[in-house]
């Protein structure tokens, strides 16, 4: 990791940055309007340290969101290495649902930052679509999803994930919803018996 001036960051400065990101993720996942002073205090750093690393709320939110999106999208590659394509797709959808529900405050913070831009302009949209493309392509190759299913079709099919209520029994609701999605995208697949 490099410092703002382009040189290597000291190990204590790197630890401070990582701790700020860790606390920011937890706090922003709970509430969009968490004060940055609270994040600094819980991270055990002064506000000056927080602002040296993240000059404003937007920079902090973008960094946290980008990190979480990378974890989500990297999971697609890892799952495809260790599972059959249809099992990888289902497992990834579970991770996507957890991301959508657990990061509700972070998602709202991102919506406030980017305003009302269309989905393709949203930070993280491209990497998530790339992960979906890889999963859909692997399933087409294995014959485990219906022929002709496009990435756009799939994105429309999973859009309900964002409607899951985190205050209720979201795990059961998510499981039922994702089972329905999988049944739909796999119906008529040539590789299914």
């Amino acid at each position: 990791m490099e410092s703002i001036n382009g040189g290597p960051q000291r190990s204590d400065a790197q630890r401070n940055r990582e701790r700020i990101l860790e606390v920011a993720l937890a706090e922003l996942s709970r509430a969009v309007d968490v004060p940055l002073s609270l994040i600094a205090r819980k991270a055990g750093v002064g506000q000056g340290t927080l602002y040296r690393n993240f000059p404003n709320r937007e920079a902090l939110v973008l960094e946290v969101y980008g990190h979480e999106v990378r974890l989500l999208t990297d999971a697609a590659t890892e799952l495809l290495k260790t599972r059959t394509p249809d099992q990888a797709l289902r497992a990834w959808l579970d991770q996507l649902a957890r991301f959508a529900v657990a990061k509700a405050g972070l998602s709202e913070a991102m919506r406030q930052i980017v305003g009302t831009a269309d989905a393709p302009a949203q930070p993280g949209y491209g990497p998530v679509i790339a992960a979906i493309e890889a999963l859909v392509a692997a399933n087409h190759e294995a014959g485990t999803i219906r022929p002709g299913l496009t990435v756009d079709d799939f994105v429309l099919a999973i859009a309900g994930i964002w409607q899951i209520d985190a205050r209720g029994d979201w795990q059961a609701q998510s499981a039922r919803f994702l089972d329905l999605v999988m049944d739909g995208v796999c119906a008529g697949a040539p590789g299914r018996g």
Side-chain angles (χ1 to χ4, degrees), residues 28-32 98-111 162 164 166:
L28 288 167
S29 293
R30 284 192 266 279
V32 64
R98 277 192 304 278
F99 176 84
V101 171
K103 310 298 188 259
L106 183 57
S107 294
E108 180 57 30
M110 282 301 299
R111 276 191 283 282
W162 307 108
I164 295 172

Side-chain angles (χ1 to χ4, degrees), residues 8-112:
Q9 202 172 40
R10 293 185 340 236
S11 62
D12 61 330
Q14 179 60 30
R15 281 191 303 275
N16 285 342
R17 181 181 175 79
E18 289 168 3
R19 183 71 184 132
I20 292 166
L21 289 170
E22 178 184 318
V23 170
L25 171 61
E27 294 302 318
L28 288 167
S29 293
R30 284 192 266 279
V32 64
D33 57 353
V34 62
L36 294 183
S37 59
L38 177 69
I39 292 172
R41 187 171 62 251
K42 286 189 172 188
V45 301
Q47 284 186 279
T49 298
L50 186 139
Y51 285 108
R52 248 189 320 281
N53 283 280
F54 306 100
N56 53 45
R57 175 178 292 277
E58 290 78 15
L60 178 60
V61 171
L62 285 168
E63 181 76 21
V64 170
Y65 186 81
H67 175 73
E68 291 301 296
V69 166
R70 281 188 299 281
L71 291 176
L72 178 66
T73 57
D74 290 350
T77 303
E78 293 306 311
L79 288 166
L80 284 169
K81 290 177 184 175
T82 60
R83 300 181 185 199
T84 63
D86 56 333
Q87 291 172 342
L89 179 61
R90 182 60 168 88
W92 189 80
L93 285 173
D94 286 335
Q95 290 187 19
L96 179 63
R98 277 192 304 278
F99 176 84
V101 171
K103 310 298 188 259
L106 183 57
S107 294
E108 180 57 30
M110 282 301 299
R111 276 191 283 282
Q112 287 182 8

